[in-house]
Amino acid sequence: MAASPLSSSSALSKPISKHHSFSLNTPQKVPFPLLPKTLQKPSSFPCNRVLHPQKSQFTTSSKNPISDFFSANKNEDGLVPPFSDDDDDKPREECGVVGIFGDPEASRLCYLALHALQHRGQEGAGIVAVNNNVLQSVTGVGLVSEVFNESKLDQLPGEMAIGHVRYSTAGSSMLKNVQPFVAGYRFGSIGVAHNGNLVNYRALRAMLEDNGSIFNTSSDTEVVLHLIAISKARPFFLRIVEACEKLEGAYSMVFVTEDKLVAVRDPHGFRPLVMGRRSNGAVVFASETCALDLIEATYEREVYPGEVLVVDKKDGVQSVCLMPHPEPKQCIFEHIYFALPNSVVFGRSVYESRHAFGEILATEAPVDCDVVIAVPDSGVVAALGYAGKAGVPFQQGLIRSHYVGRTFIEPSQKIRDFGVKLKLSPVRGVLEGKRIVVVDDSIVRGTTSSKIVRLIKEAGAKEVHMRIASPPIIGSCYYGVDTPSSEELISNRMSVEEIREFIGCDSLAFLPFESLKKMLGSSESPNFCYACFSGKYPVMPREVKVKRVGDFLDDGLNGPMDSIDGGWIQGPRDLNIEKEIDPLYQKSNI
């Protein structure tokens, strides 16, 4: 096997057009040294300087994902539709992406990295590999382990690959919407995997269709391929730059062509994307650092907001400034819920963030109690922080079943709170006769929280006090997270006391918003997006639709193209969004 294409010591000496580039291998001064917890502000990413990344000491490990629940009723294609129940009362993860360049086992490493990112999407998975200048693709509906096997990975040879795990945020759940997408155009073929959501998708699609473009999916990602195909910019990666200049919203994307791997992050940096390198010189991009650790790639740095990184054999790694970019607006929910605790996201340890959230709750919302428990798994680290600060024992009062498969048979006789009982089992010896503090990461609609409180009280708890390691969620997300409409968010309709009565707990407290920002610090706090807590959107959601929870069930294959409108409700349409969502501002006072 030939040596790694990145082992060359050549560096670019000429900028391409007005954009400047760099090589990973040139030993010069690093203008962006990495700190133990945080990167320097990504907004300082220079468009007119050469960048040279520096290795970090971060290492991480992966863990098993949490399975979704599906009913036992299969459709005529033998597929299992999602379990239609209100027990999965959380914002849904967006997607996860991986890109690998310069490793003879690229597709297998991609497969493993997607396992580490399975928590970011369970509806579908896919890998595109490049062999002898040909892009080969395998995609399917289901978990990574269900989509791929040894024979399918054998169909994906080559030293370059991209991968994707999907939870739909735009486009229904049809098989043809499973990424990565591959398309041919006049200069070759291109594949793309996208994490995020484009808020101007419908306007762009209408413009392209008016000019003759034909769409095969209902996913916003396909718009990007069409924009690249119609671009006349040269060389190739400037087509990506030109296409991205037309996009609004959130996008962390990896592209693959016959000879290049490209990573792009939107100017606001809503969704995470990191870069690492294996010992053989292979370059790896992934949504979270936990994917790097599983395949033994060393974390180097984030892809900066507004940056395009191009990797090929000739020039190594080149960095291009996508466009002038505003202050970063990174999704705070990555640290509250989405990312794994062992990941480093936006330069900060997710574990340390959640532990600090719990400590803040113990300080600002204390209560006399005998034991602290967590709603597993996302509430565990915050509960540890709470217990440590309060000096109260942490115990496992709720045990999550990790063996619930993708199908189950519901009994004909109705069992109250069946979905929650299937997932969580109370430990009576921990709970009986005790004053319990229950720590969870968030409350969305409140339905699951009320069932958990009832479960704990039925196990004999004397008192149940809920502590939530995030501020109240009052606004829908339009940047790649599937949240209910604002009308369905309980914190947008009720006061804290009303929510407490609805849930049935003895006391309820949320993480104070100002305390969250204070914990992040004056240098980091402005770099995060808090739209779900404040209703103030960095990029106005002029046209995007958001899902109505429980109203739409797609069979995974057969939904017609227009069925997407059966499960979505219209979001704000114009730039005067403040007027349309004014109640959010009045409620939040932020």
Side-chain angles (χ1 to χ4, degrees):
M1 188 62 64
S4 167
L6 300 182
S7 61
S8 169
S9 61
S10 63
L12 294 178
S13 58
K14 296 181 180 180
I16 300 176
S17 183
K18 62 180 179 180
H19 307 279
H20 291 255
S21 54
F22 77 103
S23 167
L24 281 177
N25 305 294
T26 310
Q28 298 184 17
K29 184 178 180 181
V30 180
F32 287 99
L34 295 183
L35 304 177
K37 285 189 179 180
T38 60
L39 294 171
Q40 291 191 3
K41 289 179 65 175
S43 57
S44 61
F45 172 67
C47 293
N48 299 311
R49 289 197 295 171
V50 178
L51 298 180
H52 306 278
Q54 174 177 313
K55 290 187 178 180
S56 165
Q57 299 303 311
F58 287 130
T59 58
T60 58
S61 61
S62 65
K63 76 183 190 84
N64 291 330
I66 303 169
S67 296
D68 277 349
F69 295 96
F70 287 75
S71 73
N73 299 318
K74 297 186 178 183
N75 59 42
E76 61 185 14
D77 295 292
L79 293 177
V80 181
F83 176 52
S84 182
D85 188 270
D86 63 359
D87 293 326
D88 288 324
D89 187 19
K90 295 290 182 184
R92 299 297 296 268
E93 296 89 343
E94 328 86 348
C95 296
V97 300
V98 177
I100 299 174
F101 183 96
D103 195 289
E105 291 193 298
S107 64
R108 277 173 164 73
L109 293 173
C110 200
Y111 164 79
L112 293 173
L114 291 179
H115 266 293
L117 298 176
Q118 184 74 85
H119 60 286
R120 300 187 71 88
Q122 299 88 42
E123 282 195 357
I127 294 174
V128 172
V130 182
N131 186 43
N132 295 325
N133 295 328
V134 176
L135 275 63
Q136 297 166 304
S137 173
V138 173
T139 61
V141 174
L143 301 176
V144 175
S145 59
E146 296 170 332
V147 173
F148 295 99
N149 53 35
E150 190 71 27
S151 64
K152 288 186 177 179
L153 290 173
D154 286 341
Q155 300 170 24
L156 299 170
E159 297 188 350
M160 182 165 46
I162 60 173
H164 189 267
V165 287
R166 176 178 189 269
Y167 177 75
S168 62
T169 54
S172 51
S173 305
M174 293 177 284
L175 178 60
K176 60 186 174 184
N177 281 326
V178 177
Q179 298 182 35
F181 293 155
V182 178
Y185 70 115
R186 55 181 171 168
F187 293 113
S189 298
I190 183 171
V192 60
H194 171 210
N195 174 23
N197 207 56
L198 305 179
V199 302
N200 63 336
Y201 155 65
R202 289 180 177 270
L204 289 173
R205 176 163 176 160
M207 178 270 291
L208 289 164
E209 288 177 331
D210 287 345
N211 291 326
S213 293
I214 299 174
F215 284 78
N216 187 52
T217 76
S218 56
S219 170
D220 57 347
T221 308
E222 191 177 3
V223 162
V224 182
L225 292 175
H226 284 274
L227 291 174
I228 291 171
I230 66 173
S231 171
K232 294 180 171 56
R234 303 290 292 272
F236 161 77
F237 75 85
L238 290 182
R239 291 174 173 266
I240 293 179
V241 172
E242 187 173 275
C244 289
E245 287 173 346
K246 297 179 175 65
L247 306 179
E248 295 177 17
Y251 52 90
S252 288
M253 297 185 285
V254 287
F255 297 86
V256 68
T257 68
E258 291 90 342
D259 62 348
K260 289 179 174 60
L261 177 67
V262 182
V264 185
R265 196 162 167 224
D266 70 79
H268 287 278
F270 286 109
R271 308 259 67 88
L273 190 62
V274 297
M275 179 175 70
R277 186 161 49 177
R278 284 172 49 80
S279 59
N280 63 357
V283 173
V284 181
F285 298 104
S287 292
E288 291 183 37
T289 57
C290 61
L292 303 183
D293 183 70
L294 181 60
I295 62 173
E296 298 182 340
T298 302
Y299 169 70
E300 293 198 342
R301 66 173 178 90
E302 289 187 288
V303 176
Y304 298 113
E307 185 180 18
V308 181
L309 284 168
V310 185
V311 191
D312 62 21
K313 289 185 177 181
K314 178 182 177 183
D315 298 313
V317 178
Q318 307 170 64
S319 173
V320 180
C321 178
L322 180 61
M323 64 186 79
H325 48 284
E327 195 170 48
K329 292 297 177 185
Q330 304 158 153
C331 177
I332 188 60
F333 239 85
E334 292 285 349
H335 279 268
I336 291 170
Y337 177 64
F338 293 134
L340 291 185
N342 51 332
S343 284
V344 175
V345 176
F346 308 134
R348 172 182 284 272
S349 164
V350 175
Y351 187 99
E352 291 181 14
S353 293
R354 293 179 187 170
H355 197 272
F357 297 158
E359 291 179 332
I360 293 171
L361 282 169
T363 300
E364 302 200 20
V367 64
D368 290 335
C369 64
D370 302 309
V371 66
V372 176
I373 70 171
V375 177
D377 291 309
S378 54
V380 170
V381 180
L384 288 168
Y386 187 104
K389 192 72 172 179
V392 177
F394 168 81
Q395 295 195 40
Q396 284 187 284
L398 292 171
I399 305 299
R400 176 180 289 277
S401 171
H402 293 278
Y403 305 101
V404 177
R406 292 180 63 81
T407 64
F408 60 84
I409 299 173
E410 188 169 357
S412 56
Q413 183 179 358
K414 182 65 176 177
I415 295 179
R416 188 174 66 170
D417 305 336
F418 177 73
V420 167
K421 288 179 178 178
L422 192 70
K423 292 185 288 185
L424 299 174
S425 302
V427 182
R428 184 173 290 271
V430 171
L431 304 174
E432 193 168 21
K434 304 288 182 59
R435 298 168 299 173
I436 308 295
V437 165
V438 184
V439 181
D440 201 358
D441 60 274
S442 60
I443 293 180
V444 180
R445 287 175 292 154
T447 52
T448 298
S449 298
S450 65
K451 294 173 183 179
I452 289 173
V453 169
R454 187 158 58 236
L455 202 66
I456 294 171
K457 286 193 172 182
E458 288 174 352
K462 184 178 179 182
E463 298 174 7
V464 179
H465 304 275
M466 290 288 292
R467 294 296 179 266
I468 308 302
S470 70
I473 302 173
I474 63 169
S476 297
C477 179
Y478 297 89
Y479 310 125
V481 180
D482 185 15
T483 50
S485 62
S486 296
E487 293 77 14
E488 294 177 277
L489 297 169
I490 192 170
S491 293
N492 189 43
R493 296 184 288 107
M494 298 182 184
S495 67
V496 173
E497 176 58 22
E498 289 170 334
I499 298 171
R500 184 200 66 76
E501 292 180 2
F502 176 84
I503 291 174
C505 56
D506 294 278
S507 73
L508 170 66
F510 290 84
L511 180 71
F513 183 73
E514 290 303 323
S515 299
L516 167 63
K517 294 197 291 185
K518 183 178 179 181
M519 186 275 289
L520 293 171
S522 58
S523 61
E524 283 189 78
S525 178
N527 293 340
F528 284 92
C529 173
Y530 308 106
C532 54
F533 306 139
S534 68
K536 296 182 179 179
Y537 295 91
V539 178
M540 296 303 180
R542 295 180 282 115
E543 60 181 39
V544 166
K545 296 187 174 187
V546 294
K547 277 192 175 177
R548 254 197 325 260
V549 174
D551 286 352
F552 181 55
L553 189 62
D554 185 9
D555 66 10
L557 268 181
N558 292 326
M561 287 293 290
D562 58 359
S563 67
I564 182 173
D565 292 323
W568 299 63
I569 61 173
Q570 188 66 48
R573 287 181 175 273
D574 56 44
L575 292 176
N576 295 320
I577 188 171
E578 293 88 349
K579 297 178 182 178
E580 298 194 30
I581 57 174
D582 187 60
L584 301 185
Y585 287 88
Q586 294 174 2
K587 181 175 284 290
S588 66
N589 258 342
I590 297 171

